[in-house]
Amino acid sequence: MTLYETLANELKAQIERGVFEVGNKLPSVRQLSTEHKVSIATVQEAYRVLEAQQLVEAKPKSGYFVARSILIDNTPSMTKPPQRPMDVSQWEGVLDTLLNTFNKDHDAKTLCQFQHAMPNMTAKTLKPLIKRLHELTKHRALDGMIYGDVKGDETLRKQLSRLAAASGCVLQSDEFIVTSGCQEALSVCLRAVASAGDVIAVESPGFYGAMQAIKGAELKALEIPTDSETGLSLKALKLALDQWPIKAILVAPTVNNPQGFVMPEAKKKALYELAREYDVAIIEDDIYGDIAYAYPRPKTIKSFDKDGRVLLCSSFSKTLAPGFRVGWIAPGSYRNKVLHVKYVSSSMCPTLPQLAIASFIEQGGYDKHIRAMRHHYLSARDALRSDIKRYFPADTCISYPQGGYVLWVELNSRYDSVKLADEAKQKGIYVAPGQLFSATGKYRHCLRFNFIDSTQAARTEAIQRLGEMLVAQEA
């Protein structure tokens, strides 16, 4: 056990024994550093662990306090998608969402863009990465213009091997293939494990990019009921595996998009064993895994993989910035097929962003940035949930994300999220209607929100206006 884990456990025990009661101020970072003869960084890490466990809360310029109990109520219910394979639709809606980033359709000033899953790209902790990219562009420009390794730069793949260890995986650098973001990773994996007409089991609701990758590969999606706190229903999945010739299971079990849940570790292992029983592949989307609030970060399904059937996909698009277009696959036994599909899809990826990110990781910048963002996103989550509870109808259900920066809102079925999105656009507020997150356009009464765009004041104002629009729909 590390020093910070030992300290965190000691403080937790004191809270549980009543030494520190709800609302009490806890010892300062400097005080604990002196008393326990550990570094300030160790104390800060211990407090961060307790924050992730929702035992303590930080107050600006005041210190740390024992957290008041958080009542997690009115979360979305278990979903009920169609129980048969379906062709994926919704492309026009997805395209509209992608094109509506810069408010080009009208004169209204943009107040808040809730619709995209975009990370905080203004953080000071990203400056070393940007500086390194500038240096590489200046001094190694030729490296950015010639062909690179189709598997990805070796320097980056070594760092990916180090990062994978935090999720419980023992992977060598040669087991990774670098891609142009996680979108290409998912698309490549689908084409590697399935052929046109095959059936892919997916979470419902699920990431619309994954849905469109299924459509692009001419596959069919079988949506599986999903719980907003624990993830995909294994009981429903088993029934589906008995009934349909499912070729692969595509899941985002760690900080799911759009609901934000983290599937319990035992359930992840059970999902893997189910895939072994029915001899199907698992495509695991772990793009948000590093920004789970819990520490240590949750294990991947890949960490239980004994026979190479799990294809682990991720990227730096959600942790650093999407513009770098640096993603990767750990394809297990599908390596040769994945490498071929990757080659015919886009050949090699730009080298300079890979080198810059590899350097950023090696020098400790990535870990520092992730620690800062976890705290930032956690605070923003609680603020947005509070605003939605205050301004939306009383029967609104809100997911309780365990990481990342998106959450899922389920309105009463009398409301139309597509109509709301169109009306909100005219006022400079952009939201992602729920129908995008289904193969067949379900969840028209639901919405997905990014909870870090713009300022807190702007987000609160935007939520208030959306609440007023929902009231108007009732008239």
Side-chain angles (χ1 to χ4, degrees):
M1 185 176 292
T2 62
L3 287 174
Y4 72 81
E5 288 175 325
T6 300
L7 179 56
N9 285 342
E10 183 175 330
L11 289 169
K12 179 180 179 180
Q14 291 176 337
I15 293 171
E16 290 174 344
R17 291 199 308 268
V19 176
F20 299 106
E21 297 181 348
V22 171
N24 284 174
K25 184 174 182 179
L26 292 160
S28 70
V29 171
R30 191 170 298 278
Q31 180 181 342
L32 286 176
S33 173
T34 302
E35 290 178 357
H36 292 267
K37 297 180 180 180
V38 295
S39 68
I40 286 177
T42 295
V43 179
Q44 290 174 328
E45 193 72 4
Y47 270 136
R48 191 174 64 74
V49 170
L50 295 174
E51 277 191 282
Q53 295 175 1
Q54 299 168 6
L55 290 172
V56 308
E57 56 186 351
K59 296 183 180 180
K61 300 181 180 180
S62 298
Y64 290 91
F65 295 77
V66 180
R68 301 187 182 281
S69 116
I70 300 174
L71 180 62
I72 307 173
D73 56 358
N74 289 347
T75 53
S77 54
M78 178 75 78
T79 58
K80 297 178 181 179
Q83 298 180 349
R84 63 188 186 282
M86 306 285 284
D87 291 324
V88 176
S89 55
Q90 309 309 312
W91 166 238
E92 290 74 16
V94 171
L95 181 61
D96 183 62
T97 297
L98 296 174
L99 295 178
N100 275 335
T101 304
F102 301 107
N103 200 15
K104 297 177 180 179
D105 295 338
H106 48 81
D107 297 329
K109 181 180 178 181
T110 298
L111 175 60
C112 203
Q113 294 199 28
F114 291 118
Q115 85 276 33
H116 292 304
M118 299 265 281
N120 180 357
M121 293 175 285
T122 62
K124 293 180 180 179
T125 45
L126 284 177
K127 288 185 177 181
L129 173 59
I130 297 170
K131 180 181 179 182
R132 182 58 179 148
L133 188 59
H134 287 168
E135 291 171 349
L136 288 167
T137 303
K138 182 177 181 180
H139 300 294
R140 297 180 61 176
L142 185 60
D143 287 343
M145 294 186 283
I146 61 176
Y147 282 114
D149 190 331
V150 67
K151 299 189 300 296
D153 184 81
E154 172 70 10
T155 307
L156 175 62
R157 288 188 283 115
K158 286 181 178 179
Q159 296 305 317
L160 293 178
S161 178
R162 289 178 54 191
L163 291 182
S167 70
C169 295
V170 180
L171 297 168
Q172 304 303 314
S173 61
D174 199 47
E175 296 181 75
F176 292 92
I177 296 172
V178 178
T179 60
S180 295
C182 195
Q183 184 66 37
E184 185 186 35
L186 295 174
S187 180
V188 165
C189 287
L190 285 166
R191 294 172 186 271
V193 304
S195 302
D198 283 342
V199 179
I200 307 297
V202 296
E203 297 154 324
S204 182
F207 171 49
Y208 56 69
M211 297 288 187
Q212 294 306 314
I214 291 172
K215 178 182 178 67
E218 298 182 344
L219 305 169
K220 292 184 181 295
L222 176 58
E223 298 183 63
I224 306 297
T226 303
D227 180 83
S228 67
E229 296 182 46
T230 64
L232 181 141
S233 167
L234 297 189
K235 180 179 179 181
L237 176 61
K238 183 174 176 57
L239 289 172
L241 287 165
D242 284 333
Q243 186 174 3
W244 304 101
I246 294 171
K247 198 71 174 182
I249 305 162
L250 196 163
V251 288
T254 306
V255 189
N256 170 268
N257 176 9
Q259 297 194 82
F261 61 76
V262 173
M263 182 183 284
E265 187 174 307
K267 193 172 181 179
K268 289 178 179 177
K269 189 172 183 179
L271 174 55
Y272 169 72
E273 294 297 340
L274 192 60
R276 286 188 71 186
E277 179 184 346
Y278 285 86
D279 193 24
V280 298
I282 296 177
I283 300 173
E284 181 177 12
D285 180 354
D286 191 54
I287 194 169
Y288 293 93
D290 282 352
I291 44 177
Y293 304 143
Y295 194 86
R297 66 96 83 204
K299 286 186 176 182
T300 56
I301 298 174
K302 182 70 174 177
S303 68
F304 304 111
D305 191 10
K306 300 173 184 176
D307 54 5
R309 72 176 60 252
V310 181
L311 299 89
L312 180 66
C313 302
S314 191
S315 86
F316 295 103
S317 295
K318 306 304 184 184
T319 53
L320 299 178
F324 288 117
R325 306 314 303 149
V326 176
W328 66 90
I329 307 167
S333 62
Y334 294 91
R335 182 180 181 279
N336 289 339
K337 180 65 174 177
V338 164
L339 189 59
H340 180 257
V341 176
K342 160 63 182 170
Y343 171 71
V344 299
S345 171
S346 62
S347 186
M348 47 79 67
C349 297
T351 302
L352 294 188
Q354 296 181 60
L355 293 174
I357 292 173
S359 176
F360 188 57
I361 298 170
E362 185 177 17
Q363 295 175 12
Y366 182 75
D367 285 341
K368 183 179 180 181
H369 176 69
I370 291 301
R371 287 196 298 269
M373 291 305 98
R374 283 173 179 151
H375 184 274
H376 175 64
Y377 298 151
L378 179 59
S379 298
R381 176 202 67 182
D382 293 342
L384 187 64
R385 289 188 90 250
S386 178
D387 284 339
I388 293 172
K389 283 186 176 182
R390 179 179 180 184
Y391 294 112
F392 275 37
D395 56 357
T396 298
C397 295
I398 316 166
S399 72
Y400 193 76
Q402 296 303 299
Y405 38 79
V406 297
L407 58 74
W408 183 252
V409 170
E410 181 183 297
L411 300 165
N412 188 291
S413 59
R414 66 180 179 273
Y415 298 108
D416 187 334
S417 65
V418 177
K419 180 181 177 182
L420 179 66
D422 289 340
E423 292 175 354
K425 191 188 309 182
Q426 307 307 315
K427 299 183 183 297
I429 303 169
Y430 291 82
V431 296
Q435 67 171 7
L436 302 181
F437 301 87
S438 166
T440 57
K442 280 182 62 68
Y443 311 118
R444 198 178 173 99
H445 61 298
C446 299
L447 299 155
R448 189 198 69 180
F449 287 87
N450 174 331
F451 46 78
I452 62 162
D453 181 70
S454 193
T455 64
Q456 178 58 55
R459 292 195 294 271
T460 298
E461 181 183 347
I463 292 297
Q464 183 176 5
R465 291 188 183 183
L466 288 171
E468 293 168 352
M469 293 178 210
L470 288 173
V471 171
Q473 280 195 16
E474 295 179 359

